Amino acid sequence: MFTRQLTIAAKSGKNVYENEYIKINNLPYARELNGKITIQEIFRNHWDEFKQICKSNNKPIRESIHKNVEAMINCKNFKKGYLWYECPKCGNFEIRGLSCHSRFCPSCGKKYRDARANEISKTCIYAPHRHITWTIAEELRDYFQRHKDMYDELFAAINDVLTYLIQGKSKAARIRNERLGFISTIHTFGRDMKFNPHIHTLIAECTIDKNGKRKPYTFFNYESLRKAFMNQLLKRMYHFLKKNANTKELNSFCKLRQDLFKNKGAGFYVNAPQKECRSPSQIKRIVNYVCRYAGHPAMSESRIISYNKDTKTVYYYYDPHEDDAIINDDDKQGRQYVEETVYEFIAKLIVHIPEKSVHTTRYYGFYANHSSLDTFHQPKLFKWEEISKMKSSLNWRSRLIQSYKYDPLLCHCGATMVIVPDLCFFEGYTKEDG
Ligand SMILES: [Zn+2]
Ligand SMILES: [Zn+2]
């Protein structure tokens, strides 16, 4: 059915033909034929049933979940609006549905993640950086699932620990207000998608004080960081629960806290793979990695192996993170495969939708927005041109050119299509695509 289009494209030159070929293969229809499974499709087919089940089980669904899921289901649905592009040379046209802009949407979430990664990159000063991962004891996870506001304590405990590291034992450092600069992002999921709140921190290996004086800081003692993090988090959780939990929950927490002090002498697991990070390109690479890694979704669609609408099952895999640290292949658990009902799958995914008010990425020390410490005179990691290039690559046309290697606006006749505002249609959406 696309022969005519491809024949015209072939006459317009090799580039145009190749572009048209990839464009056609990326149509949603063609992707479905090629067996591409999308999270959108699974939710579109089963979300109403899932809501019904929750209702009959008396399990209310949070408002922000409703909003994000419904936006995602309608992402690029022509009924909700579209943009109309036309070729000035041959009159051929192209219609594009509007994006939902939900962070939960696999395609829009990617754009959100890249935009945030750019923001972080823009902030970074020119200094080596490292990536620290902070995890909590498994027994504490339930408390965070019940008290979503307690994420603040998790972020704050890390800030306490890293501030104390510099100012705790030095009065002079306190007077000079010497601080590290770091950016923390919360993940609420592990690789298996189960609820497992932990934090990724990108930290510059230097301090800055109130006089703008900068000093390298490269020695992090992980043994003491682990213990300090555990103590500080348990202390903060105790004060939080004292205010917000009932006596029964508080008592069981106190008991658990005692057990943890007894059994986790080494503290909670804090991990920082030491990668060589000195040259500008190495520093940029690690910053890019952490930025993009920190924003990744609970489930990448490429991990879904199969989905059956009739039996209502999803089959997917994950690679356990414990394996990352193991060198010998025989000792690894290896790739894990999971088969579950679409309802279990949906339930696992939506738990990770944050409340709108929760800031999942936060800036601290000399990177904090309100910081009185001066980073203005510090050389930046990325040049202005690099930042503006990152910014322009966020627009949907550049994204398609970059990731899928085709220009959506290149017509099969070789000319470039232009938008026709009068023929565009919007329903309930205020923001334009791209
Ligand atoms: Zn044309
Ligand atoms: Zn979307």
Side-chain angles (χ1 to χ4, degrees):
M1 77 189 274
F2 296 106
T3 335
R4 199 184 74 90
Q5 258 166 278
L6 285 170
T7 317
I8 302 172
K11 283 181 194 152
S12 314
K14 189 166 170 269
N15 287 353
V16 181
Y17 176 79
E18 281 172 3
N19 193 71
E20 195 66 19
Y21 184 81
I22 307 174
K23 197 199 281 185
I24 289 169
N25 271 295
N26 272 289
L27 292 172
Y29 167 76
R31 295 202 330 189
E32 255 169 60
L33 279 183
N34 290 333
K36 164 111 176 123
I37 304 155
T38 63
I39 288 176
Q40 189 188 36
E41 184 192 356
I42 298 171
F43 275 78
R44 201 188 287 142
N45 293 339
H46 307 285
W47 179 240
D48 285 339
E49 301 158 14
F50 181 84
K51 280 196 294 193
Q52 213 49 53
I53 295 170
C54 290
K55 206 173 166 191
S56 41
N57 289 339
N58 224 338
K59 278 192 181 153
I61 299 174
R62 284 186 283 130
E63 189 49 39
S64 55
I65 292 179
H66 278 293
K67 268 201 183 135
N68 277 280
V69 171
E70 267 136 45
M72 185 268 285
I73 288 176
N74 284 312
C75 186
K76 303 205 174 67
N77 177 349
F78 287 164
K79 276 191 201 152
K80 300 285 172 183
Y82 52 75
L83 300 177
W84 186 288
Y85 293 89
E86 215 166 82
C87 174
K89 197 168 140 201
C90 74
N92 177 28
F93 64 90
E94 170 101 21
I95 308 170
R96 306 213 60 106
L98 300 179
S99 303
C100 69
H101 299 282
S102 158
R103 270 192 259 172
F104 182 62
C105 172
S107 68
C108 302
K110 232 178 256 160
K111 183 176 165 179
Y112 174 83
R113 175 197 69 180
D114 289 352
R116 204 172 49 183
N118 292 355
E119 278 305 308
I120 298 174
S121 311
K122 208 164 83 185
T123 310
C124 287
I125 60 167
Y126 180 59
H129 281 70
R130 67 172 78 193
H131 174 199
I132 306 180
T133 309
W134 313 78
T135 63
I136 61 172
E138 214 175 315
E139 300 90 322
L140 294 176
R141 291 177 190 168
D142 279 350
Y143 289 91
F144 283 92
Q145 194 153 13
R146 283 193 296 272
H147 302 276
K148 294 257 179 343
D149 291 348
M150 212 162 58
Y151 291 149
D152 290 347
E153 306 304 324
L154 191 51
F155 278 103
I158 293 167
N159 186 31
D160 294 342
V161 169
L162 292 174
T163 305
Y164 186 83
L165 203 58
I166 306 299
Q167 300 190 359
K169 286 174 189 140
S170 161
K171 197 178 167 198
R174 269 199 302 281
I175 292 168
R176 287 196 305 273
N177 192 23
E178 193 179 329
R179 304 233 20 204
L180 289 157
F182 53 98
I183 300 157
S184 290
T185 300
I186 188 164
H187 273 183
T188 52
F189 45 83
R191 299 244 173 107
D192 53 7
M193 286 206 311
K194 286 187 190 137
F195 188 74
N196 173 11
H198 60 278
I199 284 190
H200 294 277
T201 297
L202 177 70
I203 183 164
E205 294 184 5
C206 66
T207 61
I208 295 178
D209 68 15
K210 67 176 182 191
N211 304 315
K213 190 165 177 262
R214 172 173 160 172
K215 275 199 292 198
Y217 189 93
T218 51
F219 179 71
F220 292 84
N221 180 341
Y222 287 102
E223 268 172 43
S224 63
L225 280 186
R226 285 175 189 197
K227 279 184 218 162
F229 173 52
M230 177 172 89
N231 292 345
Q232 202 54 29
L233 180 63
L234 292 175
K235 190 166 124 193
R236 283 189 164 270
M237 282 180 75
Y238 171 76
H239 287 294
F240 179 93
L241 292 171
K242 210 169 135 188
K243 253 191 250 155
N244 299 285
N246 56 35
T247 327
K248 196 178 152 217
E249 194 181 15
L250 184 67
N251 287 343
S252 83
F253 172 78
C254 290
K255 166 132 200 340
L256 173 63
R257 186 170 64 154
Q258 263 174 3
D259 293 346
L260 289 172
F261 279 137
K262 217 189 296 162
N263 305 325
K264 293 227 182 252
F268 293 160
Y269 187 64
V270 176
N271 168 48
Q274 188 54 56
K275 290 195 186 92
E276 188 50 43
C277 180
R278 299 286 138 205
S279 74
S281 64
Q282 280 168 341
I283 299 173
K284 283 177 193 171
R285 209 175 308 134
I286 190 154
V287 168
N288 267 325
Y289 169 79
V290 180
C291 290
R292 277 164 180 80
Y293 183 80
H296 85 80
M299 174 62 141
S300 145
E301 285 176 331
S302 58
R303 275 168 45 202
I304 306 174
I305 301 162
S306 64
Y307 151 62
N308 189 320
K309 190 180 169 188
D310 303 317
T311 59
K312 303 185 188 202
T313 47
V314 189
Y315 187 54
Y316 62 91
Y317 71 83
Y318 68 91
D319 298 314
H321 77 88
E322 290 87 351
D323 279 3
D324 296 357
I326 301 170
I327 298 159
N328 191 348
D329 277 351
D330 293 341
D331 300 331
K332 293 185 179 181
Q333 296 177 49
R335 186 161 281 185
Q336 303 290 305
Y337 294 87
V338 182
E339 185 177 46
E340 58 194 8
T341 67
V342 289
Y343 308 125
E344 289 168 306
F345 181 78
I346 290 176
K348 266 189 192 169
L349 272 180
I350 59 174
V351 178
H352 308 295
I353 296 178
E355 289 300 309
K356 211 179 168 218
S357 58
V358 173
H359 294 284
T360 51
T361 295
R362 306 183 190 188
Y363 296 71
Y364 294 93
F366 62 73
Y367 280 150
N369 292 331
H370 53 78
S371 171
S372 58
L373 301 171
D374 175 24
T375 51
F376 187 76
H377 294 100
Q378 295 291 333
K380 292 281 184 242
L381 180 57
F382 291 94
K383 289 198 203 78
W384 182 83
E385 300 90 70
E386 289 173 294
I387 297 288
S388 88
K389 203 174 147 200
M390 287 179 201
K391 222 172 166 181
S392 69
S393 67
L394 285 179
N395 118 355
W396 69 273
R397 187 181 176 191
S398 325
R399 292 177 73 82
L400 288 176
I401 295 173
Q402 267 175 21
S403 340
Y404 295 97
K405 311 290 173 232
Y406 76 96
D407 179 354
L409 295 186
L410 179 64
C411 177
H412 52 216
C413 75
T416 299
M417 298 199 214
V418 288
I419 194 160
V420 188
D422 286 351
L423 295 177
C424 296
F425 162 68
F426 304 97
E427 191 221 37
Y429 280 78
T430 49
K431 234 176 164 180
E432 277 196 12
D433 188 14

